[in-house]
Amino acid sequence: MKGFLAVARREIVERRGIFLAAAAAAVLPFLIPLLPAARRFGASETRLYAAAFLALALSAVLSLVLGTTTIGRDLSERRLAFYFSRPIGNAAIWAGKLAGAWLLIVMVASIVWIPAGLFDHATWAREIRSGLAVSVGLAFGLAVVVSLALGNAASLALRSRSIWLAGDLVALAVWIGVMGSISMPLLSAGAPVVLQRFSLALVTACAIALLLSGGAQVSIGRVDPIRGSRARFAALWGLLFAVAGLSIVSVAWLTSPTPKDLVSALTGYATPHGSWIEVEGLARGRADYWSSFFYDVDSGRSVAARKGREGAVAISEDGSTAAWTQPSGILTEALQDVWFCRLADPVLRRARLPISARIGNIEISPDGSRLALHGGGAFGVYEIPSGRLIGSVPPGTDEQFSRVAFLRRDRLRIYRMPFGVTVRAGEEPASVEILDFDVAARRLVLRATIAPLHRPFSLTFDDRAGRVIVWERGSSLSLFDSTNGRLVAVLGNAGWDAASRAFLSGGRIAVAEASDGTGRVHLFSSEGRPERVLDLGTADLVRLGAETSVRTLALSIGPKPSVWGAGDSFLLDLEDGTLRKLGSHLEPVAAHMRWRLPRPEPGSIASLLFSRSDGSLLRLDPMTGKLTTLFRGR
Amino acid sequence: MVRDVTAASFPIVLEGLTVRYGRATACENVSLSVVAGAVYALLGRNGAGKSSLVRCLLGQQKPLAGRALLFGQDSWRHRARLMARVGVVPEEPDAPASMTAQQISSFCRGLYPSWDEQGVANCLARFAVPTDVPFGRLSKGQKAEVMLAAALGHAPELLVLDDPTLGLDAVARRAFSDELIGELADRGTTVLVATHDLAAIEGIATRVGILKDGRLLLDEEMEILKSRFRWIRYGNEITSARTAYGTELDAFDAVRVRVRGWGVDAVVSNYDEIAFERFRQTNGVVDAEATAMSLEEIFLAVAGEAPAPEDGLSAPARGGAA
C-alpha cells in the first residue's frame, strides 16, 4: 500500500502544473454571465452549467492525454525501471500511476466546478437533489476511467512498435465484427432499457479489460517490451473475447425467454379453430425486452416467434400455420423478413421480402398456404413457405390504413380508410372503400364505398357474411352491406354510447351500450331488426367478448374512462338474460381481438380466454364455468 | 537452515540463466555465485549480455531459462520484497526528469524503513550536486551521483551497478569510485558491478566474470586471475623459420601468440614461476621475460576479437583461456 500511495502521489506531484490551469479555468464561469449573449439566461444557472461544461471538457482532454502518457511514456523512455528498482509491487506501480492520473482528473474537475457551486449553492443543491447530477457524476467517473483505459491501452500498443500491434488491429476487426453480430438482436429488439444496460455492462467490461491489459504489460512484462507486449495482447484480447463469449451467452439468454418467463401475457391472436394462440409480453429479468410465442393451450407446446416489438404476427384460421414479420436489420431501409412455420412440426423458414416499409398487418389464408401483408401503402400476397410473390397492388398513399381478410384462398377483402379515425374539429367527413383482390387475376375491384362518415368512427366486420357495422360516435350506429355499400339498417341512435358490437353465431348482432349509468345488450337479427334488449343493471362501460357457447356471451362491465383490466367479467345467457359473474378485474380477450378476429366460433379458444389486470391469462371451461390460469401475471 | 546459510553466504546466485530476444541470444546458460562481501566485476563488450543479466538479477526481466536468486529467493517472483535489501544504480539514470534530488530522497523515504535522508544529503553534498534542480537538468555525472546516493540511502546489503560511470568524465568517475570505496570500507556491502571502467574496478573488485557473446568465459577471484595471466616475450631460435613457434608455450596455456620479427610475444593463462624458469632454460628460447598484466589487458586478451592473419600475426595459440 505504501508503494501504491507513493507512486500515486508522485504522479500527481509530477503534473501539479495542471492545477494552475484548472484554477484559471475556474474563473471563466464567473465571467461568462457578464457576456451580453448570456444575460438572457439566469446568471446562477449560466455559471453552474459553464463550470460543469468546462470541468467535463478539461477532464475529457486530460483523460486522453494522461491515458496515453502514463506508463506508456515511461516504458518507451525506459524510466519504469526506477520504480521496479524499489520495493514496490508490480500491481502497485501500475495501479498507483493510473489512480494518480484518475485522481488528478477528478481534482481538476472539482477545482473548476466547486467554486461556482459554492457561489450558487442554492441552485447547486437543487440540481444535486434532482438526481440528474448524481447520474452525470457517475457517468463522468466511468467516462474518465474508460478514456484513461483506452488511451493507456492504445498508447502501450502503439509505442511497443511490435508485431503484436498488427495482431491488435486484426483482433480489433474480428472483435468488432463478433460484437456487432452479437448485439444485432438487441439493437433490432426495440428495447432501450435492455440495450442501455447491456451497453453499460459492455463498456465497463471493456474498460476493465483495457485497464487489466495495461496491468498485465507492466506486471508480467515489467521492463521487457517484447514480453510486455505479448502479455498485454494476450490479456487484452483474452479478456475482450471472454467478454464477447459472455455477451453471446447473455444475449442468447435475453432473447430466448420461454412462455413461462412471461410476466404479463397479452394475447395477440387466437385461432378460430384449434388451440393455438399468440401470446406476447415482457419476460422475467429482461426489463423491456418484448417476446412473442405461439402457444398451444391444450398441450402447452410453444414456438418462439417475433423478437422485439417490431413486426406483425398471424395464425391461419385452421390453426395449422403461423407467420410473423421482422426487419432483417437495424437500419430503416432494412428489408423485411417473413418467418413461417407449420405449428404441428415447427421448423422455421424465412423468406426475405423486397420491401423495407414497416408491415402493419399480415393475414394467412384459411388453409395456411398464402400470406397477405400490407404496410407503407403496399399490399402483396405471398406463397407459404417459399415466400414467392403471387400478386400485389401498386403502393397507395401512406395516408391510408387497410384491413385485409382472406374470403377464400384466392380472394381477399381490403378495407381502405383514412389513417387514424380520431376526429379533429372541422375536418371533412371520411369514407371507407371496400375492395376485393382476385389473386389469380391480380386484379383489384372496388366493391363499395361507405360515405360520408363523421369522425371519429369505428367498424365491426363480418367478412364472410358481407356485413359491416359502422358507429359514428355521437351520431348513428348502422349496418351496411360490405359487398355494395348499401345501408341495411340503422341499429341505434345518437344517444347510445355503443362502445362494443359483436356478430354472433347464426348471424345475429349484439350491441352493448351504457347510457345514463345503466348497461344493456341489444340483440338484432342478421338483417338488423331489433329482437330484444337484455338489461345489465348498473354499468358505465360494457365490453362484449365472444360466445363461450351458442347461447352464452362473455362480457365485462367496468368504469369509465376505459382501462383494460378494470372491469368485471360476466357470462350473459342470451336466452333468459341472466348474468353470472366470472371474476373481478377480468376481461374477455376476444373484446380486443375483434379487429383481427371479428367473429370467433362459439367455444373456440379465442372465446374462452380472459385476462386479468395483473397480466395473467386464464381459460374458461365452458362445461364447469371454472377458470384455469395459463400464464401467471406479475 | 542449510538454505538460509547458503543465502547469507551467497547473496547472488545465477543458475543456468538464458535470455533471448527473438533469435538473438543475450545470455546463454550463465551460472555464477557471489559470496557475501565480495565486489564482483562483470566485464564484457557492448552487447555481451551484461545488462540483460543485471535486469534478470533485479527481477525486472524474466529469463527464458534458469533463474536468478537474490538472498536465496527467486528475484522474478519476489522482486518487490528483495529490492528492500538492494541498491541499484542503472546504466541510464532513470529517475523522473521533473524530480529533484531532494524529492527522490523523499520518495524513497516512504519506501524504505531504514532510509537515511541525512546520509543521502551528505553524500550529495560531497558530490556537490544541487538538491533543488530537476533531475532532467543535471549533468550526466551528477545524475549518476544522485542515483548512487539514492542507491545507498537505505544501507543496502547488496549494491548492483550497471555500468554506472559510462560516459562520465575522469573527475566524475573518480568521485563515483571514491564514494563506492568509502561505502565498501564502511559497511562491507556486497557489490555486483557491470562495467567498462576496468581501471577503476581493478582496485576494488575481488572477483571477476567476463561475458562474451552471452557466455561466461571466466569467473574467478581477482587475485588468482592476475597471478595466472602473464605477458611472455622471448627470442625464438627453436624453429628454423622465425615466423612460427612450436610447442614451447604449451605448459602455459597461451591465450594469444604474436610472432614478430624479433621473436614471440604471447599472453598466457597458466603462468607458473617454476615452469617459467624451466622455459627460460629451454634451448632456443632467448631473453625470455614475463610481465604482470592489468585487468584491462587480461580482458582484451580474453574477450577481444582474434587477430586476422593479414595483420602479420599468428592464429591464437593452442591451449586457450581458462
Side-chain angles (χ1 to χ4, degrees):
Chain A
M1 196 63 185
K2 275 192 302 185
F4 167 79
L5 292 175
V7 175
R9 190 167 54 237
R10 178 65 226 148
E11 202 63 26
I12 294 169
V13 170
E14 180 144 356
R15 294 180 162 101
R16 60 189 176 278
I18 294 171
F19 293 135
L20 284 176
V27 177
L28 289 176
F30 292 90
L31 302 177
I32 289 172
L34 304 177
L35 297 172
R39 281 188 189 146
R40 59 200 172 104
F41 305 109
S44 173
E45 278 81 5
T46 305
R47 262 190 299 273
L48 277 177
Y49 282 108
F53 174 78
L54 273 172
L56 286 173
L58 258 178
S59 306
V61 173
L62 265 181
S63 324
L64 279 176
V65 170
L66 293 183
T68 52
T69 53
T70 304
I71 299 177
R73 197 176 64 183
D74 287 335
L75 265 175
S76 62
E77 293 178 0
R78 296 175 178 273
R79 291 191 179 278
L80 214 54
F82 177 75
Y83 296 100
F84 279 111
S85 308
R86 318 271 165 230
I88 308 172
N90 304 327
I93 294 172
W94 161 74
K97 279 189 154 286
L98 281 183
W102 184 83
L103 203 59
L104 191 78
I105 296 163
V106 172
M107 286 162 81
V108 163
S110 304
I111 288 171
V112 175
W113 199 42
I114 285 176
L118 292 177
F119 190 80
D120 299 303
H121 58 276
T123 314
W124 201 33
R126 197 172 61 236
E127 293 289 328
I128 288 173
R129 274 197 301 272
S130 73
L132 179 67
V134 176
S135 307
V136 170
L138 287 174
F140 163 75
L142 182 63
V144 167
V145 171
V146 171
S147 298
L148 261 179
L150 196 61
N152 191 238
S155 161
L156 288 174
L158 291 171
R159 286 174 197 266
S160 72
R161 293 177 190 157
S162 69
I163 188 69
W164 296 105
L165 183 58
D168 281 321
L169 295 175
V170 173
L172 180 65
V174 172
W175 189 81
I176 287 173
V178 169
M179 288 310 297
S181 58
I182 293 170
S183 312
M184 203 56 76
L186 289 185
L187 290 169
S188 57
V193 174
V194 168
L195 195 61
Q196 188 185 23
R197 287 180 188 172
F198 179 76
S199 307
L200 193 62
L202 185 64
V203 168
T204 307
C206 289
I208 291 169
L210 288 166
L211 284 172
L212 290 181
S213 70
Q217 165 127 18
V218 174
S219 298
I220 299 171
R222 300 188 192 175
V223 300
D224 182 344
I226 296 172
R227 185 183 169 85
S229 295
R230 198 165 55 215
R232 181 197 54 75
F233 181 89
L236 178 64
W237 295 110
L239 287 168
L240 284 180
F241 278 103
V243 167
L246 280 175
S247 301
I248 289 172
V249 173
S250 54
V251 170
W253 178 81
L254 271 169
T255 56
S256 308
T258 64
K260 285 181 182 172
D261 294 321
L262 290 178
V263 291
S264 163
L266 292 176
T267 311
Y269 191 69
T271 47
H273 305 288
S275 54
W276 285 89
I277 61 173
E278 188 261 332
V279 284
E280 56 189 66
L282 301 174
R284 194 167 289 107
R286 290 159 175 90
D288 59 344
Y289 182 79
W290 195 262
S291 49
S292 168
F293 303 93
F294 297 114
Y295 182 78
D296 185 350
V297 293
D298 285 346
S299 67
R301 284 194 303 136
S302 65
V303 177
R306 175 182 58 143
K307 295 179 188 303
R309 293 173 189 267
E310 190 75 18
V313 178
I315 307 176
S316 66
E317 197 176 297
D318 63 357
S320 67
T321 308
W324 74 92
T325 61
Q326 209 162 339
S328 61
I330 55 169
L331 302 175
T332 48
E333 59 265 27
L335 297 178
Q336 294 285 340
D337 283 339
V338 57
W339 294 80
F340 310 99
C341 74
R342 302 285 180 199
L343 290 168
D345 178 23
V347 178
L348 296 179
R349 288 166 189 256
R350 183 182 62 169
R352 181 144 303 167
L353 303 177
I355 57 172
S356 58
R358 185 180 174 277
I359 293 173
N361 205 355
I362 61 173
E363 289 295 330
I364 301 179
S365 63
D367 63 352
S369 65
R370 286 175 177 178
L371 175 81
L373 58 83
H374 62 88
F379 166 76
V381 180
Y382 298 83
E383 189 180 72
I384 294 177
S386 68
R388 185 174 65 86
L389 180 66
I390 301 170
S392 65
V393 175
T397 66
D398 287 344
E399 291 300 311
Q400 292 170 328
F401 179 80
S402 303
R403 178 177 181 275
V404 175
F406 273 95
L407 299 178
R408 308 193 296 268
R409 182 173 179 274
D410 56 354
R411 183 170 291 273
L412 292 104
R413 178 145 298 164
I414 302 170
Y415 298 84
R416 202 153 70 185
M417 63 198 87
F419 182 80
V421 290
T422 306
V423 74
R424 283 194 291 273
E427 286 195 32
E428 291 295 310
S431 63
V432 173
E433 290 179 341
I434 302 169
L435 307 100
D436 279 0
F437 182 66
D438 186 327
V439 178
R442 301 187 181 190
R443 200 157 52 97
L444 197 63
V445 178
L446 179 64
R447 299 299 299 266
T449 301
I450 301 173
L453 294 173
H454 296 94
R455 292 192 275 188
F457 62 88
S458 67
L459 307 176
T460 306
F461 308 95
D462 185 359
D463 306 304
R464 302 281 167 75
R467 297 180 298 171
V468 59
I469 299 171
V470 180
W471 176 47
E472 295 164 276
R473 191 171 295 176
S475 180
S476 61
L477 181 73
S478 312
L479 176 68
F480 287 89
D481 185 333
S482 62
T483 59
N484 55 22
R486 186 177 60 84
L487 176 66
V488 177
V490 174
L491 304 177
N493 58 43
W496 282 11
D497 191 358
S500 194
R501 288 85 51 195
F503 287 102
L504 305 179
S505 56
R508 288 199 298 171
I509 298 165
V511 176
E513 52 93 11
S515 309
D516 53 44
T518 306
R520 283 167 291 272
V521 171
H522 300 259
L523 294 174
F524 299 89
S525 70
S526 57
E527 293 81 27
R529 283 194 307 277
E531 289 187 343
R532 58 188 301 194
V533 178
L534 303 174
D535 202 345
L536 301 177
T538 305
D540 288 329
L541 184 78
V542 181
R543 282 195 183 97
L544 294 182
E547 292 168 281
T548 58
S549 63
V550 173
R551 59 178 282 185
T552 312
L553 180 65
L555 56 84
S556 75
I557 299 174
K560 269 185 143 179
S562 171
V563 176
W564 181 259
D568 300 335
S569 274
F570 296 86
L571 292 179
L572 174 66
D573 190 316
L574 295 171
E575 298 301 319
D576 60 18
T578 54
L579 268 180
R580 186 169 75 82
K581 188 171 179 179
L582 274 179
S584 300
H585 301 291
L586 195 68
E587 305 275 1
V589 167
H592 80 87
M593 244 194 293
R594 185 145 286 120
W595 181 267
R596 297 284 309 279
L597 188 64
R599 194 176 133 184
E601 294 295 320
S604 68
I605 190 64
S607 68
L608 300 176
L609 293 179
F610 292 81
S611 71
R612 278 195 198 283
S613 54
D614 63 357
S616 56
L617 187 69
L618 303 95
R619 180 190 189 180
L620 174 73
D621 183 340
M623 303 301 288
T624 62
K626 284 187 178 174
L627 290 165
T628 311
T629 303
L630 296 174
F631 293 99
R632 292 188 186 284
R634 288 186 184 86
Chain B
M1 189 65 185
V2 172
R3 188 179 175 84
D4 286 348
V5 170
T6 309
S9 307
F10 295 95
I12 296 175
V13 176
L14 302 183
E15 296 176 348
L17 201 76
T18 300
V19 179
R20 290 206 184 101
Y21 301 106
R23 290 178 187 171
T25 301
C27 296
E28 182 71 43
N29 197 27
V30 174
S31 296
L32 61 84
S33 54
V34 177
V35 72
V39 177
Y40 192 99
L42 186 64
L43 312 179
R45 299 187 64 187
N46 291 336
K50 301 190 297 295
S51 293
S52 296
L53 190 147
V54 167
R55 281 198 291 271
C56 290
L57 184 64
L58 295 175
Q60 295 178 5
Q61 185 169 348
K62 190 172 187 186
L64 182 69
R67 59 181 186 157
L69 302 177
L70 283 179
F71 306 105
Q73 290 186 306
D74 189 312
S75 64
W76 174 259
R77 292 174 62 191
H78 305 289
R79 180 198 58 79
R81 194 189 313 157
L82 291 168
M83 284 304 108
R85 303 167 71 180
V86 180
V88 180
V89 180
E91 182 178 355
E92 283 290 328
D94 52 14
S98 63
M99 273 176 124
T100 63
Q102 172 61 43
Q103 286 169 340
I104 291 172
S105 180
S106 300
F107 176 80
C108 294
R109 188 182 57 208
L111 301 172
Y112 301 96
S114 59
W115 188 256
D116 179 6
E117 198 157 19
Q118 189 54 50
V120 173
N122 292 342
C123 179
L124 291 169
R126 283 196 294 278
F127 285 137
V129 174
T131 56
D132 56 351
V133 174
F135 190 76
R137 282 162 48 191
L138 294 175
S139 71
K140 192 156 188 172
Q142 287 173 323
K143 283 178 182 172
E145 287 159 353
V146 170
M147 295 312 290
L148 179 64
L152 297 175
H154 58 294
E157 295 168 58
L158 170 66
L159 195 57
V160 177
L161 305 101
D162 185 6
D163 232 343
T165 56
L166 185 70
L168 301 192
D169 61 34
V171 176
R173 280 208 305 272
R174 169 58 67 87
F176 193 97
S177 298
D178 288 350
E179 190 64 34
L180 192 56
I181 291 166
E183 169 70 14
L184 296 173
D186 290 346
R187 287 205 286 255
T189 310
T190 308
V191 178
L192 182 136
V193 55
T195 185
H196 290 111
D197 189 0
L198 304 181
I201 202 68
E202 186 167 355
I204 308 171
T206 58
R207 194 173 176 91
V208 176
I210 296 178
L211 276 172
K212 186 179 181 186
D213 299 332
R215 293 178 183 277
L216 192 63
L217 293 182
L218 182 150
D219 174 23
E220 198 163 11
E221 293 297 319
M222 177 74 94
E223 235 172 76
I224 297 171
L225 179 73
K226 294 190 74 171
S227 69
R228 68 183 181 85
F229 271 84
R230 282 292 185 278
W231 206 326
I232 295 177
R233 293 185 182 84
Y234 61 96
N236 178 15
E237 294 178 352
I238 302 168
T239 52
S240 56
R242 285 185 165 239
T243 53
Y245 71 99
T247 58
E248 67 274 16
L249 286 171
D250 284 359
F252 300 110
D253 290 343
V255 174
R256 180 160 298 167
V257 180
R258 298 182 187 203
V259 179
R260 302 181 185 275
W262 50 264
V264 176
D265 173 0
V267 174
V268 299
S269 63
N270 191 22
Y271 176 77
D272 181 284
E273 291 281 350
I274 298 165
F276 185 67
E277 277 310 310
R278 280 201 299 272
F279 173 75
R280 287 179 64 172
Q281 290 161 19
T282 307
N283 280 337
V285 172
V286 181
D287 297 335
E289 62 179 53
T291 313
M293 295 174 73
S294 69
L295 182 61
E296 185 170 352
E297 288 166 332
I298 296 170
F299 173 74
L300 286 171
V302 174
E305 293 299 316
E310 56 267 32
D311 291 343
L313 306 176
S314 74
R318 294 182 298 276

